[in-house]
Structures are given as C-alpha cells and as structure tokens.
Amino acid sequence: MATLRLRQPTVAAPSSRSFWLQDIGAAACTEPLQGSERADVVIVGGGYTGLWTALRIRELAPETRVTVIEADLCGSGASGRNGGQVHSWFAELDQISSVVGVDEARQLCGDTVDTIAELDELQRQGTIDMDLRLDGWLWTASSIAQEGAWERAVEMTAAAGQNRFRPLTAEEIARRTGSSAAYVGVIEANAGTVHPAKLAVGLRDLAISRGVIVHERSPVIDIETGKTCAVRTQQGTVHAEKVVLAANAWLSALPELRRHLYVVASQVIATAETPELLDRIGWRDGASICDSQSQVLYYQRTQKGRVVFGRGSGNVAFRGNFGSSFNRSPEHGRDNLRELHRVYPALRGVPIEYDWAGPIDCVPEHVPVFDHLHSHPNIFYGMGFNGTGIAQTAIGGRILASLVLEHNDRWSASGLVGIDRRQALPPEPFRYLGAKLVRSAIRRKNDVEIHNRKPDALTRFLAQLTPGHRKP
C-alpha cells in the first residue's frame, strides 16, 4: 500500500479566470465532498477527459457507480481556458500514425469526426448549449516559412480516402477572416468554434442527469492505494476499487508520469465586443483560425463580436510545478497584443478586456497516452493532449472507460495505450534548462520568420531540438 500525493491546484482569482469562465457567471456548483462515500470508479478531474470518461462508463455499464471529484468548478483547468477551436485529428494524422500505425490513426481521426457530429447533435437536441458553430477551421500561413505546413496531413488524409481539406486562396482567406495577414492555407469545413466553459458545464450536467455523482470545490490531497483506493480531500473520502486520473497538467506531480510529461503555458486575450467593426472588415462567422508558427496563433470571433486570440507563451514549468503565472501572466498578453495588431491593424483601438493563461500537458510525441500506473493496475490515467482536446478528449473517454471496465475491444487495444513505448524526457534540471533554451530559440525563430527573414544557424539548430520535432 502506498500514498500518491497530488499537486494542489492554484485556484485562480476571479480576474485570472478565462473570459469563458467569467462569461458563464456564477454557474451553479455541486456540493463539495464531505464525509465518507463509496463508488465503483472515482475520477479525479472534472474537465473534458474526466467528464467524457464518466459518461462513457455509464453508457457501457449503467449500473456502475461513478463519482467525479473536481478541485474547483468543472472546466476550470485547461478545458475552460483554451481557444475554443473544434477540429478533427486529421491535421495530426502523421504524428498519430508514428505512434499507432497508419490504419488505426485513420480510424482515430474518423472517430473525432464522429465526435464533432455528436457535439452538434447534443446542441441541436438542446442537451448542451455550447455555442457550437461549424463554420470551418482555417489552417493558414502568414509567412514564407509557414507555407505548406499542412501538406503532409493533407496528402495522408487524401490517401485515406477522406476529403477533409480544401485549398484556400488569399482572397477567400481575407473574405472569411477580415485580414490579409494570412494568404494561403486549407480549410476543414466540418469544424469550427465552441464556448469551452459552456461545454464543460454542459457535460457536467449531462453526467449528473445520467447518474454520475459530481463533487466540485474538492481538491484531492492524496490517494491511498490498494485493492480499494481511498481518494481523500480536506473534508471527505471516496472509497473505490478503481481510480481514473484525468487531471491534465497536474499529473506532473507523479514522478512516474513526469518522466514523459512536460508542462508549458499558453496565453490568451479577449477584446471588448466590437461586432460592427468586425462586420465592416468582413469577419462575420464562427470559423476557427490558426497560423503555422511553432508557437501557433489561434483565434476566433465570438457570437457577440469579441476576438479571442491565443498563442503559446514559451513559459515552461520546472519539474512540472506551475503556479499563478500559468493562470495569468505578469505580461498580460503583451506578445498576443502585438500579434493581434499585426494580423488585425483595424483593432488597434479596441480595448483588451480579458487576459489569461493556461497549462498544457505535453508529451514528446504530441499524441496522448493512456495506461495504468505501473504498481497500481486499478489506477488509470490519460494525458498529453497537447492543447488539442475538444473533439479528442471524447476519444480518450472511450479508451479510459474500456480500460476501467476491463473490456477487450479496439479501445483497450489501441496503440495509444502504453506508456513504456513512449519517449522519456531528460531529468531535471537538464530538462528545464534545455526547454528554456529551445523554446527561446523557437520564439526568436518565429519572430524573425514572420517578417520573412531567416534566423541564424544556432537558432535554427536549437529550435529543432524540441521534443517530437520533424524535419520537413
């Protein structure tokens, strides 16, 4: 018997919450865990992965008693802090193929297409009001160095018999986005944007309606392992035969997982509502937009006419231990503002009303991994979504549900299952120092290439040392 100690989350101050979380206001909160309870499965983490896992378990085995324990409000972690972009896994088909093989990769990518349809149906039925708009995902280039970043994925998708991507002209990009900064790219039509916090709370309420017990405001202190585990919070304990760890970047507290997991920050800003200006420059729909920098830009127009504009910040957590700066950067989105004004000069006079950050759980392959802890076959986890999770975490939920229920099917047999086949990262402090060096080089490289200049040889060399990097 052993005790697993989890990293205590830094609960964000109201001003450090994302626009999405502030926009839903004082959403009704479930009761914190108090006293002693029993369950068949307890899930630590009330984000997308945890909630989808709870829903999938109840679909497959309705008699299973499932409890979800969330440190704050469901969705307060990465699930409620992202850019709200919904697209399939076909953009990462080459990376997934390198882990699971081409045949399964194609199937998994198709599964995310099905998830997008499932989200659409949940909204159409009135089950979850998530502001889903399937107006497309634009994958673009705004510099010479970015051109053709999508070619490998497009070729492999076409070879799989899928017609997911269509080329875009500069004129069409300008018409769709209201900006001339990006001038070439592709579009995935059946994709778009969502309100991340509304989706998270909607999944929570759906899970509750299907018999899942949810306790929010209940940070897990530790887990006593054994045939029956005891998951402890400050005021209560849940005893369960099986545990699922769906805590995103907070899993870096466990040394066994930290060998394969590194945590970086992404910075996001949101402007004031300015629908008339956005209409005037031609930006009217709900498409999601990305460029092809290494620290990618991602942005959308909300239904009420805000611009939500995100970028990887380059901030890295030492030993995966991140604090308040991963909720809100002291720089308050300065680099994002500079890039926003480059892409949208017409927005220079529009105030920034929200800025926030969020931790991203990254693994070297940039493809999530699922397994159980080596010495604890009844404690499962999923991690490494690398910032792409709105459609993808639903697939993670299927895999984790199958593992928990001990089903012998395509999900439990997936090539995404198994940490031992994955790359391990260097120990600290070498990992942190190397990451700072490499990410600083990536930042310099991006800043030079965006102006169509060539970075120096040392910068190019260091930028290629990032985990999972592939030469074009």
Side-chain angles (χ1 to χ4, degrees), residues 138 169-183 281-283:
L138 282 66
T169 64
E171 292 75 19
E172 186 174 2
I173 294 172
R175 178 174 57 79
R176 291 291 304 274
T177 68
S179 170
S180 59
Y183 55 88
I281 66 175
W283 195 6

Side-chain angles (χ1 to χ4, degrees), residues 98-244:
S98 69
V99 174
V100 305
V102 173
D103 290 341
E104 188 189 356
R106 291 172 174 176
Q107 195 169 19
L108 289 167
C109 291
D111 293 328
T112 57
V113 174
D114 294 340
T115 297
I116 294 172
E118 183 177 5
L119 292 173
D120 191 27
E121 186 63 20
L122 286 170
Q123 179 161 281
R124 289 177 183 273
Q125 292 174 346
T127 304
I128 301 179
D129 174 18
M130 65 186 85
D131 293 352
L132 179 66
R133 295 172 293 167
L134 297 180
D135 293 329
W137 172 55
L138 282 66
W139 185 2
T140 70
S142 55
S143 71
I144 293 172
Q146 296 177 31
E147 292 177 10
W150 48 83
E151 287 181 356
R152 178 65 174 156
V154 171
E155 290 171 1
M156 293 186 70
T157 300
Q162 298 289 325
N163 186 26
R164 296 294 302 175
F165 300 103
R166 174 177 63 80
L168 291 168
T169 64
E171 292 75 19
E172 186 174 2
I173 294 172
R175 178 174 57 79
R176 291 291 304 274
T177 68
S179 170
S180 59
Y183 55 88
V184 66
V186 294
I187 182 172
E188 182 180 24
N190 186 33
T193 53
V194 74
H195 190 301
K198 287 185 177 181
L199 173 57
V201 172
L203 288 172
R204 178 201 68 182
D205 292 346
L206 180 59
I208 291 171
S209 74
R210 295 183 178 176
V212 175
I213 303 299
V214 179
H215 292 294
E216 295 170 294
R217 314 284 192 201
S218 303
V220 171
I221 298 171
D222 58 37
I223 301 171
E224 185 179 298
T225 65
K227 185 176 180 181
T228 297
C229 297
V231 180
R232 285 192 284 255
T233 70
Q234 194 70 43
Q235 301 180 61
T237 302
V238 179
H239 298 272
E241 285 70 35
K242 294 178 181 178
V243 176
V244 175

Side-chain angles (χ1 to χ4, degrees), residues 174-394:
R175 178 174 57 79
R176 291 291 304 274
T177 68
S179 170
S180 59
Y183 55 88
V184 66
V186 294
I187 182 172
E188 182 180 24
N190 186 33
T193 53
V194 74
H195 190 301
K198 287 185 177 181
L199 173 57
V201 172
L203 288 172
R204 178 201 68 182
D205 292 346
L206 180 59
I208 291 171
S209 74
R210 295 183 178 176
V212 175
I213 303 299
V214 179
H215 292 294
E216 295 170 294
R217 314 284 192 201
S218 303
V220 171
I221 298 171
D222 58 37
I223 301 171
E224 185 179 298
T225 65
K227 185 176 180 181
T228 297
C229 297
V231 180
R232 285 192 284 255
T233 70
Q234 194 70 43
Q235 301 180 61
T237 302
V238 179
H239 298 272
E241 285 70 35
K242 294 178 181 178
V243 176
V244 175
L245 303 177
N248 189 267
W250 283 267
L251 295 182
S252 62
L254 301 178
E256 177 181 328
L257 303 185
R258 193 165 61 241
R259 294 180 63 244
H260 302 271
L261 178 67
Y262 62 101
V263 180
V264 300
S266 195
Q267 177 75 37
V268 194
I269 59 176
T271 69
E273 294 178 7
T274 180
E276 296 84 2
L277 174 57
L278 299 183
D279 286 347
R280 190 161 63 247
I281 66 175
W283 195 6
R284 295 184 175 86
D285 65 21
S288 55
I289 308 158
C290 288
D291 79 352
S292 302
Q293 297 183 49
S294 297
Q295 292 174 337
V296 64
L297 297 182
Y298 51 93
Y299 43 105
Q300 66 150 293
R301 170 191 170 149
T302 70
Q303 287 189 337
K304 293 184 178 179
R306 294 185 192 273
V307 176
V308 174
F309 198 93
R311 188 189 194 197
S313 71
N315 196 10
V316 183
F318 177 66
R319 300 187 75 232
N321 190 8
F322 49 94
S324 59
S325 66
F326 278 69
N327 284 329
R328 192 179 192 190
S329 166
E331 296 179 349
H332 299 295
R334 182 183 63 195
D335 288 345
N336 292 46
L337 183 62
R338 181 196 67 190
E339 285 292 272
L340 173 68
H341 291 164
R342 177 183 67 83
V343 178
Y344 289 103
L347 298 182
R348 286 186 180 276
V350 178
I352 303 301
E353 292 191 344
Y354 301 87
D355 69 89
W356 69 94
I360 300 176
D361 55 329
C362 298
V363 293
E365 299 82 6
H366 297 175
V367 176
V369 60
F370 307 88
D371 208 339
H372 62 75
L373 297 179
H374 279 149
S375 300
H376 310 291
N378 58 342
I379 301 180
F380 305 88
Y381 61 87
M383 65 181 192
F385 286 94
N386 285 70
T388 304
I390 290 179
Q392 291 71 15
T393 47

